[in-house]
Amino acid sequence: MKNPHQLLKDFQTRFGSAATIYRAPGRVNLIGEHTDYNDGFVMPAAIEFYCWVAAAPRDDRNLVIHSDNFDETVEARLDALATAGKNHWANYPLGVADALQSSGKRLRGMNVLVSGDVPLGAGLSSSASIEVAAGFAMLRLSGVEFTREELAQLCQRAENEFVGARVGIMDQFVSCLGQAGHALLLDCRSLDYELYKLPMGIQLVICNTKVKHAIASGEYNRRRAECEEGVRALRMVLPEVRALRDVSISQLERHCALLDPKVYSRCRHVVTENDRTQKAARALCNNDLRTLGRLMRESHRSLRDDYEVSCKELDEMVEIASAQRGVIGARMTGGGFGGCTINLVETGAVESFRKNIAAEYQTRTGLRPDTYVSPASDGVQQVEVGSDRVSS
Ligand code: GLA
């Protein structure tokens, strides 16, 4: 974990002034994958990996942002924001500044030092964490009123419009509104949400396949387009349908002849995943871990076979995990094509789980995985250095 004292010192050395520190978490998704942009349900939790931001206002209208991770500084004028080039890290904070200003928020110029410990390209939402941390800092230091829901939506807009990835709202939302010890069931249409306490005696264990996922690679946007194609075809007979969220499994089956077979499979994943996610929330509420585990397994299969966003390494990782003692459920998490799996593991079995996974995965793939154990954490916060307290 980043030492906030060190961050303040680094800020002082680089920019010659004191700063305020904020941090926004990455996330892991328990279930509800590729449903958010279909107006559906997701159930992520924020994790104890953060993007840390030290920031202080400037007297002019410039944004000067230094990334520790990339050891690079970018300078931009708030009145003439433009992208920093394709796939550039600075597009995330610059995009957020742009989205905030386009929505009428008046920002001050600012020096910003960014230091993230969310693994990059691992499907744990390092992008959302930098967007939310930077956005929160910009609004707070500019003295602008805002709600966390609004910040999440503006960060999503930044990623859609400025960065060019048509992501849904899940990552930004949980990075803003996550709560320690809880998973968050979000209705991505209404943005209503409920928090579910994670069971005692169970750990969230995240296994990184070390295969980098690249969300901008086009496959993500293609899946989204296929879902939209499904909605267009179904609307010919079901005009009330606005998104796949509105389609039941029996309706989809009844009208499958209207859909190209690939599009049908994509729709089947989304429709069944929405159902699984709501059932998983009920299972969590009833402490019915057996059902929760079964739903996670079914989710993985559906992502692998119908949505085709898994990969050999994710499948191996899930297979190895599912055979271990004390494992409640295992599945890929996030956008897919590499990245991580999420495993619910009984506390007493975590050490043997990590050891066995590392050995077996390496034998099968030649890759050395990372495993992380993280409690569910709180959403974006200001960090009071001195006491290292956090406050919202
Ligand atoms: C990425 C996106 C999210 C969501 C997931 C898949 O993490 O940022 O909006 O679509 O993929 O569930």
Side-chain angles (χ1 to χ4, degrees):
M1 176 176 142
K2 184 81 199 174
N3 176 349
H5 294 277
Q6 189 58 44
L7 196 60
L8 279 185
K9 272 202 211 134
D10 294 349
F11 188 93
Q12 178 80 45
T13 312
R14 182 168 295 279
F15 294 112
S17 80
T20 310
I21 295 197
Y22 306 91
R23 68 175 194 200
R27 64 97 189 91
V28 71
N29 190 17
L30 300 189
I31 195 161
E33 216 67 85
H34 289 277
T35 44
D36 58 354
Y37 53 82
N38 290 297
D39 276 4
F41 296 89
V42 294
M43 195 163 64
I47 51 176
E48 286 195 349
F49 287 89
Y50 300 95
C51 177
W52 299 77
V53 156
R58 294 170 56 98
D59 294 331
D60 56 17
R61 302 224 348 111
N62 291 351
L63 261 186
V64 182
I65 313 174
H66 181 85
S67 161
D68 253 2
N69 303 72
F70 293 91
D71 193 18
E72 190 187 2
T73 307
V74 164
E75 183 151 1
R77 285 192 294 123
L78 278 170
D79 299 314
L81 290 170
T83 58
K86 205 167 152 42
N87 296 332
H88 199 283
W89 63 268
N91 289 340
Y92 297 99
L94 294 176
V96 171
D98 190 51
L100 296 178
Q101 293 203 125
S102 313
S103 78
K105 315 254 183 236
R106 171 104 186 141
L107 299 182
R108 298 181 63 175
M110 209 163 287
N111 292 324
V112 184
L113 175 59
V114 179
S115 181
D117 55 36
V118 183
L120 300 181
L124 299 176
S125 292
S126 55
S127 328
S129 71
I130 183 173
E131 289 159 6
V132 170
F136 195 80
M138 289 173 197
L139 290 168
R140 277 287 183 87
L141 289 181
S142 303
V144 175
E145 290 284 314
F146 65 100
T147 65
R148 284 168 180 258
E149 283 86 346
E150 194 183 6
L151 175 61
Q153 284 172 296
L154 289 168
C155 289
Q156 181 201 11
R157 192 204 287 177
E159 192 154 342
N160 289 171
E161 292 173 7
F162 207 88
V163 178
R166 297 185 63 208
V167 296
I169 187 76
M170 166 168 72
D171 307 347
Q172 293 79 6
F173 198 92
V174 73
S175 187
C176 285
L177 287 125
Q179 213 173 91
H182 292 78
L184 185 155
L185 175 72
L186 174 65
D187 176 336
C188 298
R189 171 172 281 166
S190 64
L191 299 190
D192 288 340
Y193 66 96
E194 280 168 57
L195 292 160
Y196 290 89
K197 210 169 180 19
L198 289 167
M200 298 281 287
I202 302 292
Q203 306 292 324
L204 304 181
V205 186
I206 299 162
C207 298
N208 188 346
T209 60
K210 293 292 197 63
V211 178
K212 285 236 172 185
H213 90 141
I215 209 169
S217 71
E219 283 297 324
Y220 184 93
N221 288 355
R222 194 164 311 141
R223 291 298 179 284
R224 223 184 139 146
E226 287 166 341
C227 293
E228 286 161 1
E229 188 182 330
V231 169
R232 271 197 302 278
L234 290 166
R235 276 173 63 89
M236 294 198 292
V237 285
L238 302 167
E240 68 285 1
V241 165
R242 283 163 50 204
L244 288 178
R245 145 73 173 274
D246 303 311
V247 180
S248 69
I249 297 165
S250 59
Q251 283 174 323
L252 182 66
E253 270 159 19
R254 198 168 328 125
H255 301 299
C256 69
L258 291 174
L259 303 173
D260 164 274
K262 203 131 252 150
V263 171
Y264 169 70
S265 302
R266 307 298 193 235
C267 295
R268 184 167 59 186
H269 164 70
V270 174
V271 171
T272 55
E273 184 79 351
N274 272 332
D275 184 56
R276 281 188 289 272
T277 305
Q278 292 172 88
K279 286 185 175 144
R282 275 200 296 281
L284 200 52
C285 193
N286 298 333
N287 211 18
D288 178 0
L289 298 182
R290 187 194 269 269
T291 301
L292 182 60
R294 177 177 53 77
L295 293 164
M296 288 175 75
R297 272 194 297 286
E298 288 173 10
S299 167
H300 184 80
R301 256 185 254 130
S302 176
L303 287 157
R304 182 190 66 195
D305 302 336
D306 275 351
Y307 218 63
E308 295 183 282
V309 291
S310 187
C311 63
K312 190 169 79 38
E313 293 81 0
L314 283 167
D315 295 342
E316 295 280 7
M317 193 71 105
V318 168
E319 193 181 296
I320 301 166
S322 305
Q324 303 301 316
R325 188 177 59 82
V327 173
I328 311 293
R331 57 180 286 280
M332 57 158 274
T333 189
F337 307 106
C340 292
T341 64
I342 170 70
N343 306 270
L344 299 186
V345 184
E346 288 167 10
T347 305
V350 167
E351 273 328 300
S352 64
F353 174 85
R354 295 178 83 168
K355 215 168 88 228
N356 296 348
I357 284 275
E360 180 77 26
Y361 181 76
Q362 193 167 356
T363 310
R364 289 201 197 182
T365 63
L367 296 167
R368 193 193 287 262
D370 283 338
T371 55
Y372 323 110
V373 181
S374 173
S377 76
D378 282 319
V380 60
Q381 282 165 323
Q382 181 174 331
V383 180
E384 318 278 356
V385 185
S387 62
D388 279 4
R389 271 194 315 110
V390 287
S391 66
S392 51

